[in-house]
Amino acid sequence: MSQQVRAAVFRPNDERIDAAVELLDSLGATPVADPMLAVEPTDATPEPAEFVVLTSKTGVELLAGAGWTPGDAVLCCIGPATAAAAREAGWTVDRIPEEYTSAGLVEHLAPDVSGKTVEVARSDHGSQVLLDGLRDAGADVHETVLYRLVRPEEAGQSAVMAADGDLEAALFTSSLTVDHFLDAAAERGIREEAIAGLNRAVVGAIGAPTRETAESHGIDVDVVPDEATFDALACDVVEMAAPTYHE
């Protein structure tokens, strides 16, 4: 590669952005760390239920720090990162869907939750698909907001770089990262230029909901990995972007 791929990554400004930067660097890319999410805990904890659904590593860590445990509930985690954090907290993970999305979780749990109480504990930006799907399956569903996701004031370096044609790749890990990227661009008066810049780059979305959000704003998505993990997203995006710079 005669020029490294400059890849924007929008993970929260904690160990996740550090791990993302390290991975992209190991893949031969130049990471552009531009956290688009900051976590504001609500200090709430889930209500007792027969099933408890956790949808993020952040949620697990907040609950573990508060001393909460799932007790006798069937603990359901949306994907491997959430499950690994739960196991690290000393909890037994009972259910993980094959598809790491709200729709995948509904499909996985629907046969078993009719007449059951289900507690969904997550951020304030969780998909309504999960709540509606579980209710349609006959569950008595309650949602607890564990934390709010806000955009850091300093976010937006990547939008400027995209508008200037200085990005070769961008890795969106949720619909909210797309929205916050575009909000940051709009505040700088470069929303359309930033979208045009992304459409000259390789854009990756971690899953179908993120892809749909991006495409609804006119962003062309080139990569959706088979597995909805950041590692898979990064590998696929860098692999697609890298040949552009072969001599």
Side-chain angles (χ1 to χ4, degrees):
M1 225 173 1
S2 59
Q3 180 178 344
Q4 284 191 318
V5 173
R6 292 165 292 191
V9 58
F10 311 114
R11 308 219 75 186
N13 194 18
D14 53 26
E15 72 277 0
R16 283 168 290 185
I17 198 74
D18 296 335
V21 165
E22 185 177 346
L23 175 60
L24 288 167
D25 188 59
S26 74
L27 294 171
T30 298
V32 177
D34 194 7
M36 287 289 167
L37 301 174
V39 174
E40 289 186 352
T42 63
D43 298 326
T45 54
E47 293 187 357
E50 292 164 282
F51 287 74
V52 175
V53 176
L54 302 178
T55 63
S56 70
K57 179 174 181 284
T58 298
V60 171
E61 290 172 346
L62 288 174
L63 290 175
W68 178 88
T69 65
D72 295 330
V74 176
L75 183 60
C76 316
C77 293
I78 203 165
T82 307
R87 293 187 183 109
E88 188 173 332
W91 307 337
T92 298
V93 177
D94 301 293
R95 308 289 288 268
I96 306 173
E98 289 186 12
E99 179 186 326
Y100 311 143
T101 64
S102 292
L105 195 51
V106 169
E107 182 180 1
H108 180 70
L109 292 178
D112 306 311
V113 296
S114 180
K116 305 291 187 181
T117 54
V118 179
E119 175 73 9
V120 176
R122 59 184 185 173
S123 80
D124 63 328
H125 285 278
S127 167
Q128 191 65 29
V129 168
L130 180 55
L131 305 183
D132 290 346
L134 292 173
R135 286 175 179 138
D136 288 345
D140 178 8
V141 181
H142 179 267
E143 179 184 27
T144 296
V145 174
L146 301 177
Y147 57 98
R148 299 182 183 88
L149 290 169
V150 299
R151 177 167 53 93
E153 289 183 9
E154 65 275 13
Q157 172 198 3
S158 59
V160 175
M161 292 180 67
D164 290 343
D166 292 334
L167 281 184
E168 285 74 53
L171 295 82
F172 291 104
T173 48
S174 68
S175 291
L176 198 56
T177 58
V178 177
D179 292 338
H180 285 182
F181 173 92
L182 293 174
D183 289 346
E187 285 182 0
R188 291 161 172 78
I190 55 171
R191 188 179 189 277
E192 295 308 314
E193 294 86 348
I195 291 173
L198 288 180
N199 289 342
R200 292 189 295 270
V202 173
V203 174
I206 201 163
T210 306
R211 179 193 67 211
E212 290 162 9
T213 299
E215 291 178 345
S216 75
H217 293 294
I219 299 170
D220 298 331
V221 175
D222 305 288
V223 173
V224 179
D226 292 335
E227 182 181 76
T229 64
F230 181 79
D231 285 13
L233 176 67
C235 290
D236 288 356
V237 167
V238 173
E239 183 179 7
M240 179 174 284
T244 306
Y245 300 99
H246 286 173
E247 291 183 329

